[in-house]
């Protein structure tokens, strides 16, 4: 892990206008202490102060007791500092999880991506190549794709071509004609697995990553107990599977708080309490997916 690069990236955010506005918008003594300690390379002191600042900012965001933009910037800064401290203590998984938390709350994408690079985090392709079901994708050769009829009668049934290449798709696109492309995802490793196998694979490969979830009875925003939370991906997938013989570790969930999202079996007077993910750019957070 590259602590120098991480410090440069984190410091660029700590000097940003958004963080200055956060300091003006709400009391942030813990955050100020964390920033000062981090700049002085007192990583233990920075970690303790940033952890307290994170807890305060996250509580404020969930309760809406402070101006949300101020609490959000404070939470991002706290998570970035915690990630930097984890790098200093050579704790890679912890560093990635705090980086995830900063991204989930609005850390600029360039800082987040750079921080992952500094951490040296890789989930793929090494793990995928080692998996039994992994098969490299084979390119679609032009000769294997039937030629486009010229002229094509619009009244005919929409044609179906297997694994149509980008080159051979061109005439359809240029003429704005419909076409069914079959078999284009057969080389995807997860396409050969049933849903539970997919969840187990994702849990083993990306389970330590942090993701945002919403919790409420029947996924209802109006439900009194509805809330947002941050969970490990394997904990969320464990809730989705809801399978007692699953090999997903259901004991590892959330950010360590006592009020982490409950599993599917939890019920309320309004119906079952559901944990779900929505409106989150997961592919931006984990491009390997």
């Amino acid at each position: 892990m590259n602590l120098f690069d991480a410090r440069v990236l984190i410091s660029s955010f700590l000097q940003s206008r958004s963080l200055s506005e956060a300091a003006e918008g709400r009391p942030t003594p813990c955050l100020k202490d964390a920033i000062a300690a981090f700049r002085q390379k007192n990583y233990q002191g920075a970690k303790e102060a940033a952890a307290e600042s994170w807890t305060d900012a996250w509580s404020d965001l969930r309760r809406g007791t402070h101006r949300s933009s101020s609490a959000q910037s404070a939470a991002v800064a706290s998570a970035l500092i915690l990630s930097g401290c984890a790098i200093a203590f050579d704790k890679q998984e912890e560093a990635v999880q705090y980086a995830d938390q900063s991204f989930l709350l609005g850390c600029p994408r360039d800082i987040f991506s750079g921080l992952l690079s500094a951490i040296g985090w890789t989930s793929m392709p090494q793990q995928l190549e080692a998996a039994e079901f992994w098969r490299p994708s084979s390119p679609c050769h032009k000769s294997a794709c039937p030629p486009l009829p010229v002229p094509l009668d619009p009244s005919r049934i929409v044609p179906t071509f297997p694994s149509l290449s980008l080159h051979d798709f061109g005439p359809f696109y240029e003429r704005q004609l419909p076409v069914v492309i079959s078999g284009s995802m057969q080389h995807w490793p997860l396409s050969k697995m049933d849903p539970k196998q997919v969840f187990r694979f994702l849990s083993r490969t990306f389970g330590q990553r942090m993701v945002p979830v919403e919790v409420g009875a029947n996924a209802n925003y109006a439900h009194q107990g509805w809330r947002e939370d941050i969970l490990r991906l394997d904990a969320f997938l464990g809730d989705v599977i809801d399978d007692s013989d699953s090999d997903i570790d259901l004991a590892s969930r959330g950010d360590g708080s006592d009020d982490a999202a409950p599993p599917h079996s939890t019920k309320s007077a309004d119906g079952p309490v559901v944990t779900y993910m929505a409106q989150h750019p997961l592919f931006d957070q984990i491009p390997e997916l």
Side-chain angles (χ1 to χ4, degrees), residues 24-36:
E24 295 173 0
R26 62 189 297 275
T28 55
C30 294
L31 179 56
K32 293 178 180 178
D33 291 344
I35 294 174

Side-chain angles (χ1 to χ4, degrees), residues 146-175:
L148 173 64
V150 181
L152 183 66
D153 183 1
S155 65
R156 293 178 57 185
I157 297 176
V158 176
T160 298
F161 293 147
S163 302
L164 195 65
S165 69
L166 182 61
H167 177 272
D168 291 316
F169 175 69
F172 288 97
Y173 177 79
E174 292 171 358
R175 303 181 191 187

Side-chain angles (χ1 to χ4, degrees), residues 6 21 28 51 65-66 105 127 199 203 228 239 276 280:
E21 293 174 351
T28 55
T65 54
H66 283 283
L105 292 173
Q127 291 192 33
F199 288 148
S203 178
E228 296 176 291
D239 287 347
Y276 59 100
H280 172 60

Side-chain angles (χ1 to χ4, degrees), residues 26-27 55-68 71:
R26 62 189 297 275
T55 300
D56 291 344
W58 179 238
S59 297
D60 290 345
L61 285 171
R62 296 181 67 178
R63 292 193 300 262
T65 54
H66 283 283
R67 194 175 65 181
S68 60

Side-chain angles (χ1 to χ4, degrees), residues 247-258:
D247 60 3
I248 294 179
D249 180 10
L250 299 181
S252 300
R253 61 176 69 248
D255 55 3
S257 62
D258 295 332

Side-chain angles (χ1 to χ4, degrees), residues 57 60 74 141 158 174 177 191 202 229 285:
D60 290 345
H141 298 290
V158 176
E174 292 171 358
L177 295 173
S191 69
L202 293 176
D229 216 328
Q285 180 189 356

